[in-house]
Amino acid sequence: MSAPSMTLFHNPASPFVRKVMVLLHETGQTDRVALQASQLTPVNPDPALNKDNPLGKIPALRLADGNVIYDSRVILDYLDHQHVGNPLIPREGSARWRRLTLASLADGIMDAAVMIRYEVALRSPEKHWDAWLDSQRDKIRRALALLEADAIAELTSHFDVAAISVACALGYLDLRHPDLEWRKENPKLAQWYFEVSQRPSMIATMPKV
Ligand code: BEZ
């Protein structure tokens, strides 16, 4: 085993970081990446991260040549070009745009869920903006409803960028927002998630509370 040639700014709770980690596991590349812990919040930045990514966001990946790439979509695309197995992001055709659109939908769920987390965990209750929180929760509900109605067969067909992204979004809802009880309205998605949760890549990257 050679020394890792890349460094990933990492926090196990971040669903965006988890996507990268799951792809590394699925493509047999975990040994190539060292993890640099980043304990950041919007009001408590990580100076080392800010030097490499002025946006101060994780994940960011420092490559062997010192260049840094971000955000998670770019990192997934990069890493998917670094292995010899079947691509997890279709390279062309309508499948590419459909799978990337499903992945973007999952990213939107993560965005809304992380925003809710920050608002609720970091701001005092009297400052919570309830209408804004409701609107974030509505985005999540609408996105899940679309997946439940239209995408189960597609998610089941490949564990690729779309499925990885949806699985990490659902994992984050379980971690931070169990109160949303997303399984109640989405039983097919719940069954699909139960099955993919048993993949070694999902078990190895499961965040601990
Ligand atoms: C969290 O603890 O929920 C979290 C940490 C890093 C990035 C996003 C979310």
Side-chain angles (χ1 to χ4, degrees), residues 3-204:
S5 60
M6 298 178 270
T7 302
L8 180 69
F9 287 92
H10 176 270
N11 181 314
S14 163
F16 297 99
V17 169
R18 191 177 184 194
K19 284 195 303 179
V20 175
M21 294 303 299
V22 171
L23 184 132
L24 287 171
H25 280 272
E26 292 286 338
T27 58
Q29 299 189 80
T30 50
D31 291 348
R32 303 184 61 212
V33 177
L35 304 183
Q36 177 156 339
S38 192
Q39 301 296 338
L40 78 169
T41 72
V43 288
N44 182 23
D46 171 351
L49 172 64
N50 285 353
K51 272 175 49 192
D52 274 349
N53 176 0
L55 300 174
K57 292 174 95 172
I58 52 172
L61 182 69
R62 193 184 308 123
L63 306 181
D65 63 5
N67 282 316
V68 180
I69 61 172
Y70 42 84
D71 55 9
S72 63
R73 295 175 208 208
V74 176
I75 297 172
L76 259 62
D77 201 354
Y78 176 82
L79 292 173
D80 198 37
H81 280 80
Q82 306 302 313
H83 67 97
V84 292
N86 288 333
L88 297 187
I89 304 174
R91 298 281 193 262
E92 58 195 9
S94 59
R96 174 172 174 79
W97 309 118
R98 175 61 179 166
R99 305 307 285 195
L100 286 175
T101 298
L102 290 173
S104 289
L105 190 68
D107 283 359
I109 295 172
M110 294 178 205
D111 274 331
V114 170
M115 292 295 106
I116 296 170
R117 167 73 181 167
Y118 287 152
E119 177 79 357
V120 171
L122 299 180
R123 278 159 65 95
S124 49
E126 69 276 8
K127 290 194 174 144
H128 291 176
W129 185 3
D130 289 330
W132 182 86
L133 283 168
D134 284 345
S135 145
Q136 299 303 318
R137 292 187 189 106
D138 285 346
K139 282 187 204 194
I140 295 172
R141 287 199 190 94
R142 288 195 302 268
L144 294 177
L146 185 149
L147 292 169
E148 175 78 7
D150 292 348
I152 300 299
E154 289 170 287
L155 293 176
T156 305
S157 67
H158 305 297
F159 198 67
D160 68 349
V161 66
I164 290 171
S165 303
V166 173
C168 292
L170 296 175
Y172 189 74
L173 295 182
D174 281 351
L175 178 72
R176 295 297 187 212
H177 304 298
D179 52 303
L180 289 183
E181 298 186 305
W182 65 266
R183 287 174 178 78
K184 273 193 180 165
E185 300 287 317
N186 303 287
K188 289 185 277 184
L189 200 55
Q191 179 60 33
W192 172 81
Y193 180 63
F194 172 76
E195 284 158 22
V196 297
S197 295
Q198 292 162 43
R199 294 180 78 89
S201 63
M202 291 295 291
I203 293 170

